[in-house]
Amino acid sequence: MSALLWNLVLALLWGAVQDDMSLGTLAIGFVLGLVLLAFISPQPGPSPYARKWLDILKLLGLFVREVITTNWRLALEIATPGIKSRPAIYAFETEARTELEVTLLLLIINFTPGSLGLEISEDGKVLYIHNMFTTTREAFIRNMRENVERPLLRVLR
Amino acid sequence: MREVITAVFLGVGALAMLLAGLGMVRLPDLFLRLQATAKAATLGVGGLLCAAAVNTGSLGGVAHALLTVLFLFAITPVATLLIARAAFHAGVPLWKKTGENDLAEKYRAEARPPSADSLIDGQ
Amino acid sequence: METGLILAVGMLYAAAIYCMLRRSTVRLSLGLVLLGSATNLALFTTNKVTRSGPPLLPKDGMLAGPVADPVPQAFILTAIVINFGMLALLLVLVHLAERTVGSDEMKHLNTEVPPPSVPHE
Amino acid sequence: MNSVVLRAVARTMTPVLLQLSLVLLVRGHNAPGGGFVGGLMTSAALILYLIAYGTGTVRRLVRVSPLKLMAMGLVVTLGTAALPLVTGQPFLRSAWTELALPWGGHLALGTPMLFDVGVYLVVVGATLGFILALAEGEGSEGGRKEDL
Amino acid sequence: MKNLLILPVLIPLAAAALSLLLPARAGLRRALALGATAALTGVAAGLLSTVWHQGVQVLRVGGWEAPVGITLAADLLSAMMVLLSGTMSFLCVVYSAGSLEARQEAGAHYPLVLVMLAGVCGSFLTADLFNLFVWFELMLVASFVLLALEAERERLEACLKYMTLSLLGSALFLIALALLYAVGGSLNLADLAQRLPGTRQPPLATAAAMLLLAVFGLKAAAFPFSFWLPAAYHTPPVAVTALFSAMLTKVGVYALYRTFPLLFAGDLGLTQPVILAMAVLSMGAGVTGAVVQYDVRRLLAFEIISQVGYLLVGLGLSTRAALAAAIAYWVHYVCAKSALFFVTGAVERVTGTHQLEKMGGLSRTHPLLGLLFLVPALSLAGIPPFSGFFAKMALLRAALRAESWGVAAAGAAVGLLTLYILMKVWREVFWKTPPQEARGSPGSLAVLGPCVVLALVMVGLGLGAQPLFVLSDAAAGQLLDRDTYIHAVLGGGP
Amino acid sequence: MSGWFEALLRGVLTVLGASALLTLVRLIIGPTLPDRVVALDLIALQMVGGIAVYAMLTHEPGLLNVALVLAIISSLGTIAIARYLFQGGKGEP
Amino acid sequence: MALLAILLTGFVVAPLAPLLVRVSRRGASVSLGLVPLGLTVWLASLVPQALSGTPPSFHLPWVPGLEVALTLRADGLSLLMALLITGMGTLVVLYAGAYLQEDPRLGSFLGWLLCFMASMLGLVLADNALLLFICWELTTVSSFFLIGHDSHQEEARQAAMRALVVTALGGQALLLGLLLMGWVAGTLTLSELPTAGPALREGPLALAIVLLVLAGAFTKSAQVPFHFWLPSAMAAPTPASAYLHAATMVKAGVYLLARLSPVLGGTPVWQGALVSVGLVTMVGGALLAFAHTDLKQILAYATVSVLGTLVLLLGLGTPGAAQALVVFLTAHALYKGALFLVAGAVDHAVGTRELPLLGGLRKAMPFTAAAAGLAALSMAGLPPLWGFIGKELVYGAAGHAPGGWGLALGAAAGFTLLVGSALRVGLLPFFGPRSERGQKAHEGSPALWGPPLVLALGAVGLGLVPGWIQPLLEGAASAIAGPGDKPLELALWHGLTPALGLSAVSLALGITAYTQRERLRRALVSLRLERWGPSRLYTLGLAGLRRCADVLTEQFQSGSLHRYTFLTVAVTAGLLALPLLFRMGVPEGLKRTLHLHEAAVLALLVLATALAVRTRSVLTAIMALSVVGLTESFVYVLLGAPDLALTQVVVQTLTVILFALVFSRFPVKPTGGRSRLQDAALSLAAGGLISWALLHASALPPQTRLADAYTSRSEPEAHGRNVVNTIIVDFRALDTLGETAVLATASLGVYLLFRPSRRRKPA
Ligand code: NA
Ligand code: NA
């Protein structure tokens, strides 16, 4: 977290010395700071801070891919006659533990087109997910696990 | 240039919104329609707001647009959970072609709250 | 827009009055909400400056073009808030009335009985 | 256990909303906003909290009872309004001062802003009063726990 | 000291806010209310004297000139009404102290009364129509709560009905304001008065006048708009009812008096006959309704409608004599009606009921109560030498001289019926052999004191009627002298 | 502002309007209350989008503020409805 | 000044009466009796001056703006009446002290009696018409309390109400009449009115004035058809009856007519009304007296008859008639007062006033019997009593009038019947066998038999020595009809005149009527006059009023909020339609451009509203309302009002939350659809009218004066760029102040109504 703060301070410094606090200037400052912080590391390879950013980028990538494909399918579904999808509701045992993790997981799941969290069990371990374009239960759970849950938890932990 | 980027965002947003509207009419059950709004609308509003953010270019504009998207992102799932749960309790039927339903198992054990009857609202 | 809006306002009034005439406290409160909306819009249509920008002055210098009349806006702002307060009060009354007589129908609450015809000179 | 999500969202979003409401209050004199909307937004933020955590928590959070908040607001508006009477000025006459900011520029401060703060307090107190009264009424009747 | 004009609003409002901030103790709230109403009465007396000596007084709130800012203006009528409200509210507070339970006193009764008072005084003093709307609403909301306070079934019913019609009235009020703003470009009374005559669309102004007539008629409980009143007035404690009768309906009448001579004086032909018709219908409908009432408070409530009719006669005729008579009638009537409510309250405390059938024999057991009832009752019926006689006679005289024979005849006939009704009450309450033994006591000095004071006022205004008529005549003169008011409100800088 | 861009903005507004009317159809036909709530939520979002577009059309970035508040508040309304109206004051959600 | 003192004394002493009674029951009436006695003496001392041509007068302004003044004037007529009032008053007060000795409310009775006396004095001494009216109304009020003295009896209460309603009805008419007179004549001073006589008699309002004044006088003086209140007023204690209903109050009407004779008299309407009504009343009253057996009832009807005679005399309007009037008036006061007091004494002694139950009391009650006999002879018009002189003058006046002897014959018919009544009242209780009820009867205290005896002896004395009162009577008569062409001749013997012949005949016939009294009575009773009489009319009138009130209440105050709302809207719409539909055409210059997205917004608004109205489910309606609210705020965005949009959207959502909170708690049944069509029609009409008005408003040229002022001054003077905000927190901050108070009060109300203690209240 402190690294992020440093990054922000660097961005502000960048803007302040140029006497230009506009959004573009600050953004450039932030990216430069990020690059700096990514390389200032005692260990070899990318710093933990940079790794975090990479994880986030990866998550985003997966996410965007998912958004595009399923939205496309959704669009086709709505725009063409007849409904071809066969929805189902699956219980999904999550590995997320903390409140924040569960919440964020759910947010991500919901933002993923085609799947929608409908309920969480009382102990918070099982998510019930409505899925629009499923083939099998196994395929769905695998997809959730690998393309949504793991990348998210990697970012968070 | 800025107008072109804006136009792209606008196009995506408008299309998503239109789809959401169509979906509301066309999709056969509540949960599918929930899907449509939760995604298409978020995408649509996101697109339109991003267009506005790009178009104005001011910090305030961007902040407003981002804040709005962020908030919607955070709050919509919560609403979805509450509505879905209420719908189940009320016995809102699923589309007949829906496949497996794990939630039905869960709810079978629970008693349906009596007050929920009033929710079924045949006009 | 203006003309269409005015016609819509008339329709809103009709709807509001119709709701208020429905003999149910709940409908009555719905009617009052509609009445508030209708009235606000009616105030809004009074002066013929429409589709102009908001009455916000730019940071430096004067206005570029015409702006909407701020006066009805100030009135409506006041009216909205007052209406909201009244509505909250009304809802509580409706609720208490329902609690007391077990119905939202006005007639069940009625205690204004016809006067007794006592033969007095 | 949906409340997990609700609470998490409420906890993160309420401060944002409160901040936003203050923005609306402060800049109302120059941009859309002002005491009313600011106050209403504050109440909205607290309602989100209420939905997630129940009325008791909101009461604890606000500390002052809505009724007192309202009365305080009234006293502020009335006081601001009556202040000019002391100097024989007309009621509600506004007074302005320009405050030079250390980083340059200046900030106009005036009694209308204080007046708006009074309005803000009244609105927060009043709307919160409505909601709390009704929500607590609901809680006590169904005999259910206050928190979700 | 122009700021004198804001004090009648500020004092009660500040006292209300303070009593909510301070601990909820009966004594504290009572003291605050007593102090505030007494101070208000003093201020009002000062205001009246200032207006009498120096003419129309004006306060440009915030220092903004009309019509940019809101202007408060006090002519004789406003000042008289403020003084009357102050006095009545003081007496009502005293009466409350004697008749309410400590629980009620420690509750919101006093703050609500004060808020209502602020709304009433604001309505009397403002020279801006939208501001009038705001004060109306303030007064209304306080009265709604006062009416519903204990949430018993009857009170809920009464409040729901009152509230529905009132809120309908508020909506109509705003439509009227919208039309007036469209026609005149302002809602300042003086500014509008100046601009309306030259407007391009006079019928639209007349439409606004008609709406205002309905709105103010609704507040005033003039006949076809009076339904809420008998439904509402018999449920709350007497202290509240008396206050309502002294203020609520009167504000409606005042608004008519304020606006019509000023704004629609040239409009003619249409509003005047409508007002007269309303006046006569109110007189008749109210008194006829009262004939069959056996709930004493409901009976008095019906009576209010007919008395409002008398007040409207002045406006309907709009001659100086008629206006003066109506204003004098107004003062008399507020005192008489409040006194009647107070006394019936004491009677209810004795008999434990407000049903006429269940009362009786009080002239033998409580002769003082009898006397205290008789004075306002006879006064209200226009029996000499009490205040009501001169007021009613002046009104009839003005009606005759305006050659409104029907109005004069109606006035006389309704006077007769009023006498019949009130003496019916007398017969039932004070003469009839009581069907059940009355055990209660009429109450302390705080209950009887206001009755005595008002009885003395009525005798005083009868035997010494001249000053009241001089004052009313001057007030009527000011009402008809539009230019002075317009000039005072618009003229000059702050 | 170029002509095509303004035309596009108006077109988008019209699309949003059409979409909102479609959504209103769902609100009207229901058949269940949750269906209607979902439709209402969507209409609010369409208006948020509409405001954003209108802000561009009129060069009033200040309107984005309204869009933000509308988005926040309408979601809050949906939650409150779901929470209070559906639960009927009973049971734990 | 003396006059003022005389007037005020009674009013000042009256409230002291209850206190005095509390001090000493026996002494009170004696000491109070000194007051009228003293006034009598005082008044008597004014007689010379009164007759001198410049009568004593007094003037004090009271309410100049209304022409009300304390103007007093004591001419002959006034003084004669005043002396009657105080003289009778003295005796009645003394009598009442004894008569009501056991009554716990003697004090209040004496108080009202004195109050009445003072009012009556004021009435006759007033020279200002409105002062006269004030006293007139005061007599009405005090008589109400005197009649209703025995308030535990339903009969007394009803009688009091009757008298009040009838006389107050006349009072209202009189007031209107007097006000009209004052307007036409330009003065309300009675002594100045005759100069305006022509204007009053011939102006366009003459008829109205005469009819209104007559209505007042006829009700007060119990003329047919208003006479019925008088017999029922016999429920009053006898002293009150003697005083009010024989000697004084009922004469007020006659006095008024006499007073106004010089002003309004002489016109055909006046004469015709007075003569005809007087004649009918005279004969009718005398006839009805025979139908009754209760002493007081007989006397009451006989009084009605005499009042008719007096009115008839006024109608004749000649100086001779006026002379007859004053003589006959005094005669009647003396004998009728005496007879009433006798009736009271008998009642007091025997416990009944029913003739069949009375008889043979002359030995047990010799003084009373003597008083009764003398008074009855005076009433029967036998010489040498005062009544005889009066009657002769009446015949004479009638004979000399334009109507001629027809009138005299009519009068004779009346007198004939009166003779019969006089004999019944004066003889029957005292002669014949002693009745069972009267076995233990004995003479009461001197205060019970003294006053009637004094009055009866007065009748004898005046008859024998009429000279000393002649100047006063002449003065009184000339105040009515001007100085006569021949002086008043008060003698027992005028020679063999036609009048004497008539007297003899009527006496003979009267005695016959007396002997045939039972047959006559039965005949009258079998006619069942009360079924058709005005008394019945009065009852029917009240019932009609009640019925009318019932219907009105059912129709308008039915308790149905639906009806209240419906009527309110309908009336308002009607009012609005007057200018809108009849004075305005189609608005011109409306803006008709409508973009597609705007059309969509309006469609949304309209459809959502329609849904809110149409749906049977309240929850759906709430959803629809939300859409309406959202659309509204979008309209604000479109039309340049972001502040409104913000506020509306937040308020709208909070409203929905409130609805959700409230309606989550009770199931709402779909409501029934009574009178849908009617309601829909009204709603559409109202909405249409409002639209119509707004369309016209929007067609007007824009008003930019205020808007320009605010936009140009907002930043430099109010230091804000958001003009709406500067308006609400600075330019028009007072609105905002009030508005926050509204919100706070509403919230306080919600809190109060919903606090925990209230919530747990069982249903
Ligand atoms: Na604002
Ligand atoms: Na100011």
Side-chain angles (χ1 to χ4, degrees), chain C residues 1 3 6 10 14 21-22 24 27 37 40 47 51 54-55 57 73 77 81 87 99 112 117 120-121, chain G residues 162 538 546 550 562 564 591 593 598 616 632 636 640 647 655 671 674 679 683 691 703 721 723 739:
Chain C
M1 179 73 180
T3 308
I6 287 173
L21 286 170
R22 287 279 50 80
S24 140
R27 298 279 167 183
S37 288
N40 294 338
N47 217 346
R51 285 205 201 84
L57 308 173
Q73 295 193 20
L77 217 46
V81 177
L87 186 74
R99 174 91 55 80
E112 274 191 83
S117 273
H120 279 286
E121 196 175 280
Chain G
R162 249 171 204 238
Y538 169 84
R546 255 198 311 280
D550 270 337
H562 173 267
Y564 298 168
K591 278 191 191 169
T593 43
E598 290 170 346
R616 276 167 53 230
E632 186 191 334
Y636 293 141
T647 313
T655 303
T671 48
R674 282 195 293 139
D679 293 346
S683 311
S691 274
Q703 304 264 5
R721 292 192 305 277
V723 183
E739 170 200 355

Side-chain angles (χ1 to χ4, degrees), chain C residues 77, chain D residues 24-25 27-29 31-38 116, chain G residues 642-644 646-647 722 724-726 728-729:
Chain C
L77 217 46
Chain D
L24 285 172
L25 166 66
R27 60 169 216 155
H29 215 53
F36 285 119
V37 178
D116 225 10
Chain G
D643 274 290
L644 288 189
L646 275 178
T647 313
N722 181 354
V724 176
N725 191 266
T726 54
I728 63 172
V729 302

Side-chain angles (χ1 to χ4, degrees), chain A residues 64-117:
Chain A
V64 167
R65 193 189 74 192
E66 200 74 3
V67 165
I68 290 172
T69 54
T70 38
N71 259 315
W72 179 244
R73 291 177 70 180
L74 184 62
L76 284 179
E77 194 71 282
I78 294 172
T80 58
I83 305 291
K84 286 169 215 80
S85 80
R86 292 294 169 265
I89 300 173
Y90 295 124
F92 173 72
E93 281 195 44
T94 176
E95 291 165 5
R97 283 298 161 260
T98 67
E99 222 174 72
L100 183 71
E101 284 172 6
V102 174
T103 304
L104 281 179
L105 177 59
L106 190 81
L107 297 191
I108 303 268
I109 288 172
N110 270 17
F111 204 62
T112 312
S115 53
L116 191 71

Side-chain angles (χ1 to χ4, degrees), chain G residues 239-524:
Chain G
S241 302
Y243 196 35
L244 276 61
H245 306 131
T248 54
M249 185 171 83
V250 291
K251 304 263 166 66
V254 175
Y255 169 79
L256 178 76
L257 293 179
R259 199 33 102 198
L260 294 179
S261 269
V263 186
L264 301 174
T267 61
V269 179
W270 175 271
Q271 270 187 328
L274 261 58
V275 169
S276 55
V277 170
L279 199 61
V280 170
T281 308
M282 177 169 76
V283 178
L287 201 59
L288 285 171
F290 262 89
H292 292 271
T293 52
D294 180 299
L295 283 178
K296 282 177 76 176
Q297 291 293 322
I298 298 169
L299 291 172
Y301 280 107
T303 307
V304 169
S305 167
V306 170
L307 292 170
T309 314
L310 296 175
V311 169
L312 169 69
L313 288 171
L314 279 168
L316 297 180
T318 58
Q323 291 170 346
L325 173 87
V326 292
V327 174
F328 194 58
L329 187 144
T330 50
H332 175 252
L334 291 178
Y335 73 69
K336 194 56 68 64
L339 285 175
F340 264 113
L341 295 182
V342 164
V346 169
D347 190 13
H348 201 257
V350 185
T352 180
R353 302 186 303 249
E354 285 295 321
L355 278 179
L357 302 177
L358 294 169
L361 289 171
R362 71 181 179 282
K363 290 214 175 103
M365 306 173 74
F367 299 116
T368 311
L374 287 172
L377 291 180
S378 183
M379 178 174 168
L382 283 177
L385 289 120
W386 188 228
F388 170 74
I389 299 179
K391 188 175 64 172
E392 294 292 294
L393 285 170
V394 172
Y395 284 150
H400 286 100
W405 285 97
L407 281 179
L409 283 174
F415 275 115
T416 303
L417 292 164
L418 279 186
V419 169
S421 288
L423 296 177
R424 288 173 76 207
V425 174
L427 303 182
L428 283 179
F430 300 99
F431 293 91
R434 190 93 172 249
S435 73
E436 208 172 307
R437 294 284 282 277
Q439 292 303 329
K440 290 179 188 162
H442 56 87
E443 201 70 275
S445 74
L448 280 179
W449 55 259
L453 198 56
V454 169
L455 288 171
L457 290 174
V460 179
L462 281 179
L464 294 174
V465 204
W468 63 273
I469 199 180
Q470 182 167 354
L472 182 58
L473 292 175
E474 257 180 0
S478 69
I480 298 169
D485 38 7
K486 55 180 181 182
L488 176 57
E489 290 173 29
L490 294 173
L492 288 170
W493 182 249
H494 290 268
L496 280 172
T497 55
L500 189 64
L502 266 180
S503 278
V505 173
S506 67
L507 188 64
L509 285 173
I511 291 168
T512 318
Y514 170 70
T515 55
Q516 298 298 314
R517 58 185 181 272
E518 269 312 297
R519 190 172 293 171
L520 199 54
R521 193 179 72 83
R522 254 179 268 127
L524 281 167

